Amino acid sequence: MKNSDNEILEEGYVLNDLKEGQWIYYSPKGEYITKIENFISGKKFGVVLEFNDRHEMTTRSHHDQGVREGYTVNYHRGRPKMDAYYQNGQLHGRMTKYHDYSSKIL
């Protein structure tokens, strides 16, 4: 998919009209990567990485059959901001929040 200036906004493979394999998403002007996802038969599977305009990872999450599953971490300037475990798309177990600039538990 491209924007009006013919810059790529997202790229990946399609099989039987469904997303398949790794997909990469770019900022509205195609300047940087905003997200990397993996798909099996059109459903998110495996690790999803999200990035900000400073090229820093902001989120790392895991999915199974399109549903958040397992460990998720949100980052702020390279430090963990929140981590949690998910089961069947629902928060399951502990969730820990951290101070933005010291990584101390709030």
Side-chain angles (χ1 to χ4, degrees):
M1 179 180 191
K2 296 182 179 184
N3 65 14
S4 60
D5 294 329
N6 206 32
E7 297 164 324
I8 296 173
L9 297 179
E10 60 184 57
E11 60 184 342
Y13 294 101
V14 174
L15 181 65
N16 298 324
D17 292 328
L18 299 172
K19 290 182 177 181
E20 189 72 27
Q22 186 177 70
W23 275 71
I24 300 174
Y25 302 85
Y26 299 91
S27 64
K29 294 185 179 183
E31 300 163 320
Y32 58 91
I33 294 172
T34 59
K35 188 186 314 185
I36 300 172
E37 298 178 316
N38 295 284
F39 292 87
I40 295 179
S41 299
K43 296 182 179 179
K44 286 184 198 176
F45 186 84
V47 177
V48 174
L49 304 174
E50 296 180 42
F51 304 91
N52 64 19
D53 60 351
R54 297 170 57 116
H55 312 285
E56 300 167 330
M57 186 175 3
T58 57
T59 303
R60 184 184 72 211
S61 60
H62 299 270
H63 292 75
D64 187 12
Q65 297 296 315
V67 178
R68 189 171 287 193
E69 184 75 30
Y71 189 61
T72 292
V73 182
N74 292 337
Y75 295 96
H76 177 76
R77 301 207 182 224
R79 296 176 189 253
K81 184 175 182 178
M82 183 277 302
D83 63 29
Y85 291 90
Y86 286 82
Q87 186 174 16
N88 296 320
Q90 301 292 319
L91 186 61
H92 181 77
R94 73 172 178 84
M95 177 179 69
T96 307
K97 291 185 177 184
Y98 302 91
H99 189 274
D100 283 345
Y101 299 101
S102 70
S103 296
K104 292 183 180 179
I105 295 174
L106 289 175

